[in-house]
């Protein structure tokens, strides 16, 4: 990897002042209030998920940025547990969908049923109608069933029999998949992966965390003891606050420079889309708010570039018989690209 020519102090420097107070609505949370609520959620989830602060924080970041999260890792490391713990820490509607090869699109979106009494069709909503939808092992469903999520994840609505039904806000999909076992699975197409704001891996816990798991899970399940720590009104207030986090023009140009570089990199056949740029900035705003700031730093963009961009990229075909880049290789490509982009210094006008 090419060394970064910029030191950490430069990268962390605020590059512009906060916007004028008159441009900020009165119903938004202060930086201190927001950080207190986010810390409360992270602490609650960490009573269930041991030693995975980065994964927990990124999951909350995606939720507050109104995105969708893909958890990709081997079985047994806590992917579904993280999704369920985050859901239980929030007082909102939650549905879980177990994806299987025989799952049909109507099993997700819902179906119109003929009511003989009223002699008309009545729509029966599917499990997609919830604030937080957990899709377990999404790559076990057929491409036809996977495509049932495309409209809902992008447009926040479901169309059945020519009629559209809006989904409640917030609407977030947290999906899990196993990248190792390929038998009986269907890889997510590029259009589906592009709907997810970020993809993260849990990884194995360290020795101390694994010992703690052995001690605590023998007598009780901490997930059953978890209670909501933020209600729906508080969650919506946090989301509104994230929307108004300040992003300077310099940071916007920085994000565009990173995604543009992926489109011309020699190791990539397909770079990041404009949707990826938009979601990178949205995620950076949420990360800044969780850190107690009302403005975005270059650090926020740097930290989220790989989780937000890597899963959208398509590697160039293997050359000379070498294997094509996998998930880790694509993340390394993003990291290399970020290290080569000049850091915005000072305020931009």
């Amino acid at each position: 990897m090419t060394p970064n020519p910029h030191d950490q102090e430069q990268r962390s420097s605020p590059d512009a002042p906060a916007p004028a107070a008159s441009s900020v609505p009165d119903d938004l949370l202060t930086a201190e209030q927001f950080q207190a609520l986010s810390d409360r959620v992270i602490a609650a989830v960490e009573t269930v998920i041991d030693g995975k602060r980065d994964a927990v924080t990124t999951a909350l970041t995606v939720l507050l940025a109104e995105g969708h999260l893909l958890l990709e890792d081997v079985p047994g490391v806590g992917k579904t547990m993280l999704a369920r713990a985050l859901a239980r820490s929030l007082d909102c509607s939650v549905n879980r969908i177990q994806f299987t090869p025989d799952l049909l699109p109507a099993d997700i979106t819902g179906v119109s049923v003929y009511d003989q009494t009223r002699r008309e069709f009545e729509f029966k909503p599917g499990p997609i109608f919830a604030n937080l939808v957990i899709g377990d092992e999404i790559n076990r469903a057929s491409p036809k069933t996977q495509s049932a999520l495309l409209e809902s994840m992008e447009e926040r609505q479901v169309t059945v029999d020519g009629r559209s039904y809006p989904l409640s806000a917030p609407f977030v999909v947290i999906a899990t998949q196993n990248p190792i076992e390929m038998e009986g699975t269907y890889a997510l197409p590029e259009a589906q992966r592009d709907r997810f704001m970020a993809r993260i891996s849990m990884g194995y816990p360290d020795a101390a965390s694994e010992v703690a798991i052995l001690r605590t899970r023998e007598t009780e399940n901490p997930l059953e003891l978890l209670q909501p720590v933020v209600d729906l009104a508080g969650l919506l207030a946090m989301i509104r606050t994230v929307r108004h986090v300040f992003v300077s023009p310099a940071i916007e140009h920085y994000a565009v420079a990173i995604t543009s570089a992926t489109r011309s990199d020699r190791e990539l056949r397909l770079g990041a889309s404009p949707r990826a740029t938009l979601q990178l900035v949205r995620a950076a705003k949420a990360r800044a708010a969780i850190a107690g700031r009302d403005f975005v730093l270059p650090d926020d963009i740097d930290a989220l570039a790989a989780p937000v961009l890597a899963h959208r990229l398509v590697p160039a075909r293997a050359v000379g018989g070498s294997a094509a880049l996998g998930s880790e290789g694509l993340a390394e490509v993003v990291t290399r690209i970020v290290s080569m982009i000049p850091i915005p210094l000072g305020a931009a006008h």
Side-chain angles (χ1 to χ4, degrees):
M1 184 186 303
T2 304
N4 193 330
H6 304 279
D7 61 27
Q8 187 66 26
E9 181 178 354
Q10 287 177 314
R11 185 171 288 273
S12 301
S13 300
D15 75 311
S22 60
S23 65
V24 180
D26 296 333
D27 61 343
L28 301 185
L29 302 174
T30 65
E32 293 76 14
Q33 291 172 328
F34 189 102
Q35 188 174 29
L37 289 177
S38 59
D39 287 347
R40 192 182 305 171
V41 174
I42 292 172
V45 176
E46 286 188 320
T47 63
V48 179
I49 305 297
D50 297 292
K52 295 297 176 183
R53 169 60 69 97
D54 288 345
V56 172
T57 303
T58 302
L60 180 60
T61 298
V62 172
L63 172 65
L64 296 177
E66 302 175 89
H68 308 290
L69 179 66
L70 181 62
L71 295 168
E72 183 182 89
D73 216 323
V74 297
V77 295
K79 301 186 300 295
T80 304
M81 188 69 74
L82 171 58
R84 294 177 63 191
L86 182 60
R88 293 197 66 158
S89 67
L90 303 169
D91 189 12
C92 59
S93 59
V94 180
N95 281 332
R96 180 178 179 273
I97 305 172
Q98 179 64 56
F99 283 79
T100 57
D102 60 348
L103 191 71
L104 299 175
D107 297 329
I108 297 175
T109 60
V111 64
S112 294
V113 179
Y114 186 71
D115 189 331
Q116 294 185 349
T117 304
R118 295 188 296 175
R119 295 187 177 183
E120 62 182 18
F121 283 93
E122 180 183 1
F123 178 65
K124 299 292 185 181
I128 197 68
F129 286 85
N131 296 126
L132 202 158
V133 177
I134 301 173
D136 208 7
E137 296 184 288
I138 188 174
N139 57 335
R140 290 199 176 277
S142 67
K144 180 179 180 180
T145 302
Q146 292 177 9
S147 65
L149 292 170
L150 290 174
E151 180 187 18
S152 59
M153 292 175 68
E154 178 65 19
E155 302 178 32
R156 266 63 174 182
Q157 68 176 24
V158 170
T159 301
V160 177
D161 294 335
R163 183 175 178 183
S164 297
Y165 302 89
L167 297 169
S168 300
F171 171 71
V172 176
V173 174
I174 300 180
T176 70
Q177 71 171 0
N178 173 13
I180 304 301
E181 184 180 356
M182 296 304 172
E183 184 177 352
T185 64
Y186 304 85
L188 297 181
E190 286 78 5
Q192 183 78 51
R193 295 200 306 269
D194 199 42
R195 296 297 198 276
F196 288 98
M197 175 173 282
R199 178 188 64 186
I200 62 173
S201 297
M202 297 288 291
Y204 292 109
D206 57 36
S209 298
E210 197 161 359
V211 169
I213 292 173
L214 293 176
R215 291 174 178 171
T216 58
R217 305 299 164 85
E218 286 295 325
T219 57
E220 60 186 13
N221 183 359
L223 186 63
E224 297 178 355
L225 305 176
L226 186 58
Q227 298 295 322
V229 294
V230 175
D231 59 15
L232 182 58
L235 177 59
L236 291 172
M238 294 177 76
I239 290 174
R240 287 195 303 270
T241 302
V242 166
R243 292 174 185 168
H244 288 84
V245 170
F246 180 63
V247 183
S248 73
I251 294 292
E252 293 174 340
H253 285 288
Y254 183 51
V256 170
I258 291 173
T259 54
S260 296
T262 66
R263 301 165 194 165
S264 58
D265 192 86
R266 56 183 174 78
E267 294 190 72
L268 301 175
R269 180 161 57 92
L270 179 67
S273 65
R275 179 193 285 129
T277 311
L278 178 62
Q279 296 199 346
L280 176 59
V281 173
R282 285 178 176 173
K285 292 166 71 173
R287 184 181 188 272
I290 290 174
R293 287 181 276 107
D294 58 0
F295 54 88
V296 174
L297 294 176
D299 267 354
D300 300 315
I301 300 292
D302 294 349
L304 292 165
V308 173
L309 301 181
H311 66 287
R312 307 170 191 271
L313 308 178
V314 177
R317 295 186 179 276
V319 179
S322 61
L325 292 172
S327 298
E328 293 183 0
L330 289 171
E332 291 175 359
V333 170
V334 174
T335 302
R336 171 177 58 77
I337 290 174
V338 169
S339 70
M340 298 298 295
I341 304 298
I343 311 303
L345 301 176
H349 301 283

